[in-house]
Amino acid sequence: MTRRPLHVLIAAAGLALAATGARAAPAKAAVFDIQFANLSPVAPDAAEMGRLKRISTEFRDFLQKEGLFTVVWAEPDHEVAARSADLPRRNGCAVTVAKRLGVDTAITGEVQKVSNLILDLDAYVKPVADDAPKQACSVDLRGNTDESFNRAVPHMVENNMSAGP
């Protein structure tokens, strides 16, 4: 049996490791709280606002857990918060904050409520590069309940966002 030099063995081990599908680190993303787009004639109540707060945290946790992004909580500064009642539609506000935070992507989201039976959760993923397209992901909720909200985030992240643009 011949003895191989140590540097040859190290190089071979490195190639084997690379061939096993080592992935690059995920992009850093500024993830904003999910907002409420109320299209119904009834103002949001405390339960709905509580659900938004809960799923905002859950959304960030799922994106991180699935390895899709390295999440940076993008609590907007006072200047942006004053203008951001409708952050997903505000041209550039989220991207401006994301650039300020030094991340690659801005992620905003909203729950659109048409009625207590018809709601949807939308997420918008926008790379901070000026010409990069925005990706939109959506999941329908049937019923304005804790159960429907509990299912929305995992379903959207695992079935819509994990597939990529």
Side-chain angles (χ1 to χ4, degrees):
M1 183 186 318
T2 61
R3 296 180 70 168
R4 300 196 191 271
L6 183 59
H7 69 279
V8 172
L9 294 174
I10 292 172
L15 287 173
L17 184 61
T20 62
R23 296 193 306 181
K28 289 184 180 177
V31 183
F32 295 83
D33 281 342
I34 295 171
Q35 296 183 328
F36 199 70
N38 189 15
L39 307 174
S40 80
V42 180
D45 61 22
E48 291 169 332
M49 298 312 289
R51 288 182 192 118
L52 281 185
K53 185 174 179 84
R54 189 183 78 243
I55 67 170
S56 292
T57 300
E58 184 181 349
F59 185 49
R60 283 187 280 275
D61 291 347
F62 255 90
L63 290 172
Q64 185 82 32
K65 183 181 95 177
E66 292 290 315
L68 299 175
F69 296 95
T70 299
V71 173
V72 175
W73 184 22
E75 185 174 337
D77 58 34
H78 296 293
E79 173 192 336
V80 173
R83 304 188 314 251
S84 65
D86 191 6
L87 194 56
R89 286 174 190 65
R90 286 281 195 193
N91 282 340
C93 287
V95 170
T96 299
V97 173
K99 284 181 180 178
R100 197 175 308 149
L101 292 171
V103 299
D104 309 302
T105 306
I107 301 176
T108 57
E110 66 184 355
V111 169
Q112 293 183 356
K113 176 184 174 187
V114 176
S115 71
N116 274 331
L117 294 176
I118 303 170
L119 302 96
D120 66 70
L121 171 61
D122 302 316
Y124 306 99
V125 180
K126 172 68 173 106
V128 298
D130 292 332
D131 59 346
K134 183 188 323 185
Q135 175 189 4
C137 300
S138 183
V139 64
D140 291 339
L141 289 79
R142 289 299 178 246
N144 190 2
T145 65
D146 286 340
E147 182 179 3
S148 66
F149 274 71
N150 289 346
R151 292 179 178 183
V153 168
H155 183 79
M156 184 172 64
V157 172
E158 292 170 352
N159 295 303
N160 296 351
M161 297 181 82
S162 293

